[in-house]
Amino acid sequence: MREAGINEGLIKDCEQIMQTEFSEFYRQLKLHYEEHLDFIGSYQQQLEGVNVEDDTRTVHDESLQLMKHEFSCSGHGKFSEYSTTESSDDVEKQELEELSDDEVPCFFDTKESFSDTNVISSSSVRATDIADEICSSKDQSDGRDMMIHVETEPMHYHKFPPVERRKKMPDPVEKEKGVSLWSMIKDNIGKDLTRVCLPVYFNEPLSSLQKCFEDLEYSELLDKAYEYGKMGNSLMRILNVAAFAVSGYASSDGRLCKPFNPLLGETYEADYPEKGVRFFSEKVSHHPMLVACHCEGNGWKFWGDSNLKSKFWGQSIQLDPVGVLTLEFDDGETFQWSKVTTTIYNIILGKVYCDHHGTMNIHGNCQYSCKLKFKDHTLLDRNSRQVQGFVEDVTGVKVATLLGKWDDHMHYVNGYDASKIKVSVVPRDASLLWKKNDPPANPTRYNLTSFAITLNELTAGLLERLPPTDSRLRPDQRYLENGEYEKANQEKLRLEKRQRMSTKLQEDGWEPRWFRRENEQGTYRYVGGYWEAREQKRWEGCPNIFGELSNLTTN
């Protein structure tokens, strides 16, 4: 520095300035550190002074209020708009070009809070780790306001009891026989297809009633959505609801066998205290084939009915779902949506696989709604199974973008960037909402998930409480699970004959036992009483639908 003509006095002045700045920085850092220690100490005292089991709701509300006041953040201004992901590339480019110079897309790091909507990122945090998540706080010494960014999830103080479920299916009693679809078609040429009994080898050991509950494998997303809503974070609530709506398709990957078609009046219950949910479903109509379900969780209820309209296209079968699913939280916020189309390819030749495609609209009755686009499968598209969408508020402003794959994960980002959405790699600034669970350690030939393996389990204690209509008591399905294929085929043939009587039963005025329709075209709603009857083991009005034909009774 001397060679450059700078004198020694100037050098000392610079050194003095640097030392002063470092001293001030150290003082502020120490002050912030002490404030954070005091905050953590007072927070832990609150936790230690409350009985969690008796006063769970009180502790939760106090902690949320504390988080709300301590971790507020300043605003970023209005959010930039995103294009609708259901549009083609040309439409997306056009929307981007229509932005004026004053409306250049503004991108934010998702580690920052959504200021205008109190959005909180979905990264985990513990009460004892809050100090690690604090980036900055308000400087008390000079009055300068500094933003605090906290990455957190809703704190769950409710603890569900652990329940031991089976990890594998029973070992098959018989060796499986190969079945040729061509030979089956050839043998039934000219016959009434409604009277053709498909071999049991084409089925998986689950009914359509149980498959309804399989859609709730990731019900913890609804628990999170409920907690976010209690925190006043409506945007994170609908983001988790959207992730839940997509997650129900993950179990269909690699599932080539069809579920059993329930008999009229067949039911299924699922009491999963380890998940905090209780589920019930019933086949309420034979023509059209309708299955109704009702599920209760922590602060939410989920219900709906479903029917499939099928179209045969030679090499593929298209299944169009009919029916509305409803999710209602205890605070009154409700979301409704319908499922997208499913197509099964290569029915005759080639490797059979399925794909889901179409637009899913999730309508909310409060602040936000969501639109998701399940991309159509194409032979040249390497990035198949993609789901793209956005969340918009009541004014039509798009405030968040969703992207992922229905068989693996869902993420969200803040801001619109077509280059991020159109690639198969998840953007670095995206936050994870949902990730598919790992496959079971003991895989089955049906490609059942670990959760699906538990659905048809029948224990001695459970058997004593079930009504005679429960799917777990269906003999052909039970024989198939045990690998007793000959017995399964015989029982399936017997029950198929019985099933053909369902049309006459329905015409004679048969009514569902546990569900009633809101109106002529409305959704079937659970009328209550099942769990009370289960507790008392009173099943009057529940016919022995799996017995002999001579034992058939109606309600």
Side-chain angles (χ1 to χ4, degrees):
M1 296 177 68
R2 292 189 180 91
E3 294 177 356
I6 300 176
N7 59 46
E8 188 170 348
L10 182 59
I11 295 175
K12 289 182 178 181
D13 290 342
C14 293
E15 290 177 350
Q16 183 64 34
I17 293 173
M18 292 293 293
Q19 290 176 358
T20 302
E21 290 294 330
F22 275 115
S23 297
E24 177 64 17
F25 175 77
Y26 176 77
R27 186 189 67 81
Q28 293 184 12
L29 184 63
K30 183 179 179 181
L31 179 61
H32 294 166
Y33 177 73
E34 291 174 352
E35 290 175 351
H36 299 160
L37 287 181
D38 291 340
F39 169 72
I40 294 171
S42 63
Y43 189 83
Q44 289 179 333
Q45 288 176 5
Q46 289 185 9
L47 294 180
E48 293 170 358
V50 178
N51 186 316
V52 174
E53 294 181 357
D54 296 338
D55 299 312
T56 299
R57 187 174 297 275
T58 302
V59 176
H60 190 76
D61 291 343
E62 289 178 355
S63 63
L64 292 185
Q65 290 298 322
L66 183 63
M67 296 279 286
K68 182 176 181 181
H69 292 300
E70 292 292 335
F71 296 153
S72 62
C73 55
S74 62
H76 286 298
K78 72 174 184 178
F79 294 105
S80 59
E81 294 191 2
Y82 318 30
S83 77
T84 59
T85 52
E86 67 173 328
S87 305
S88 64
D89 292 344
D90 294 338
V91 175
E92 289 174 343
K93 292 178 180 178
Q94 180 180 355
E95 287 186 358
L96 192 60
E97 291 171 355
E98 287 176 353
L99 293 174
S100 65
D101 294 338
D102 296 332
E103 296 176 326
V104 176
C106 184
F107 306 112
F108 304 108
D109 190 286
T110 52
K111 292 183 180 180
E112 296 181 349
S113 302
F114 283 90
S115 57
D116 293 347
T117 51
N118 293 326
V119 175
I120 299 177
S121 174
S122 61
S123 301
S124 299
V125 70
R126 300 291 184 267
T128 56
D129 296 332
I130 293 179
D132 295 334
E133 303 294 339
I134 298 179
C135 298
S136 58
S137 64
K138 187 174 181 179
D139 191 333
Q140 302 292 339
S141 61
D142 58 7
R144 289 176 296 176
D145 290 332
M146 303 177 69
M147 287 187 60
I148 298 175
H149 300 303
V150 181
E151 298 184 353
T152 182
E153 281 189 346
M155 296 184 180
H156 301 285
Y157 289 100
H158 50 270
K159 293 184 178 179
F160 300 134
V163 176
E164 187 66 26
R165 305 280 179 180
R166 66 181 183 182
K167 301 295 190 297
K168 64 185 296 291
M169 300 282 283
D171 295 326
V173 175
E174 303 172 10
K175 184 177 180 181
E176 184 182 353
K177 297 180 181 179
V179 178
S180 171
L181 181 61
W182 268 117
S183 63
M184 186 200 69
I185 295 175
K186 179 184 65 176
D187 294 339
N188 290 284
I189 290 178
K191 294 184 180 179
D192 182 359
L193 292 180
T194 62
R195 298 183 178 275
V196 174
C197 181
L198 292 176
V200 77
Y201 303 105
F202 289 98
N203 290 91
E204 62 180 12
L206 292 175
S207 74
S208 296
L209 298 169
Q210 292 166 310
K211 292 279 285 184
C212 288
F213 181 55
E214 196 172 355
D215 287 348
L216 284 114
E217 176 177 356
Y218 302 93
S219 61
E220 64 271 13
L221 291 169
L222 300 185
D223 295 336
K224 290 181 181 180
Y226 171 66
E227 300 293 345
Y228 274 121
K230 287 180 64 178
M231 296 168 64
N233 196 335
S234 299
L235 182 52
M236 282 305 298
R237 169 174 280 190
I238 192 172
L239 286 171
N240 277 273
V241 170
F244 168 78
V246 175
S247 69
Y249 293 95
S251 61
S252 64
D253 185 27
R255 299 279 282 275
L256 306 181
C257 297
K258 64 183 293 291
F260 281 87
N261 182 22
L263 304 185
L264 186 64
E266 187 173 334
T267 63
Y268 176 72
E269 69 159 65
D271 187 9
Y272 276 60
E274 71 273 29
K275 294 175 68 68
V277 299
R278 199 165 62 171
F279 172 92
F280 180 72
S281 58
E282 179 183 10
K283 181 175 178 178
V284 296
S285 173
H286 185 60
H287 284 300
M289 205 286 277
L290 282 176
V291 170
C293 69
H294 178 88
C295 185
E296 298 178 2
N298 180 50
W300 54 267
K301 294 179 181 178
F302 174 81
W303 69 86
D305 56 37
S306 62
N307 178 29
L308 291 176
K309 291 185 177 180
S310 60
K311 298 178 182 177
F312 181 62
W313 299 103
Q315 264 285 77
S316 64
I317 296 178
Q318 179 178 317
L319 304 174
D320 296 309
V322 178
V324 177
L325 302 176
T326 302
L327 172 67
E328 181 181 67
F329 292 98
D330 285 356
D331 55 19
E333 187 167 14
T334 302
F335 298 96
Q336 289 187 318
W337 67 92
S338 297
K339 289 194 169 186
V340 297
T341 298
T342 297
T343 301
I344 304 173
Y345 297 92
N346 297 336
I347 297 298
I348 306 299
L349 297 174
K351 183 179 179 181
V352 180
Y353 67 95
C354 74
D355 192 42
H356 310 287
H357 51 93
T359 301
M360 175 185 290
N361 292 292
I362 304 176
H363 301 286
N365 68 337
C366 292
Q367 189 174 1
Y368 295 110
S369 295
C370 178
K371 179 177 286 188
L372 297 171
K373 175 69 175 181
F374 289 65
K375 288 188 60 178
D376 291 342
H377 171 79
T378 60
L379 295 177
L380 301 179
D381 190 358
R382 297 181 180 180
N383 302 321
S384 60
R385 305 185 174 187
Q386 287 192 356
V387 181
Q388 304 164 359
F390 59 84
V391 174
E392 64 181 9
D393 62 19
V394 291
T395 65
V397 177
K398 301 176 181 65
V399 296
T401 298
L402 293 125
L403 65 159
K405 303 182 71 174
W406 56 258
D407 65 332
D408 189 66
H409 65 268
M410 283 299 295
H411 289 73
Y412 77 92
V413 294
N414 178 28
Y416 170 68
D417 186 346
S419 63
K420 293 181 180 179
I421 297 176
K422 289 299 180 181
V423 297
S424 59
V425 180
V426 177
R428 294 180 60 184
D429 60 347
S431 298
L432 180 67
L433 287 168
W434 160 74
K435 177 68 177 177
K436 181 182 178 181
N437 292 331
D438 294 332
N442 302 289
T444 69
R445 81 169 188 88
Y446 308 103
N447 285 324
L448 300 182
T449 64
S450 298
F451 182 64
I453 288 175
T454 71
L455 300 184
N456 202 47
E457 184 177 11
L458 185 60
T459 60
L462 180 60
L463 179 61
E464 299 171 357
R465 295 180 176 273
L466 293 178
T469 54
D470 194 271
S471 295
R472 277 165 288 215
L473 304 179
R474 180 167 175 160
D476 53 353
Q477 185 172 307
R478 180 62 56 186
Y479 282 134
L480 177 61
E481 179 179 292
N482 294 333
E484 300 177 79
Y485 304 113
E486 292 299 327
K487 291 182 179 179
N489 267 318
Q490 294 173 8
E491 285 297 315
K492 189 172 187 293
L493 180 61
R494 179 180 69 84
L495 292 176
E496 289 276 356
K497 294 179 180 178
R498 185 187 184 108
Q499 179 76 301
R500 284 191 280 272
M501 297 183 61
S502 297
T503 301
K504 186 177 187 304
L505 285 175
Q506 196 166 321
E507 291 174 351
D508 291 342
W510 181 90
E511 291 288 341
R513 177 66 179 84
W514 307 105
F515 289 84
R516 291 291 183 273
R517 210 164 201 168
E518 295 177 326
N519 52 63
E520 187 174 345
Q521 300 298 327
T523 302
Y524 279 91
R525 294 292 303 275
Y526 174 59
V527 297
Y530 175 82
W531 298 102
E532 293 76 9
R534 181 184 188 269
E535 187 67 24
Q536 301 172 9
K537 301 179 183 179
R538 299 184 60 179
W539 300 116
E540 292 84 355
C542 296
N544 182 15
I545 59 175
F546 304 129
E548 297 299 329
L549 291 173
S550 58
N551 298 329
L552 182 63
T553 59
T554 59
N555 295 347

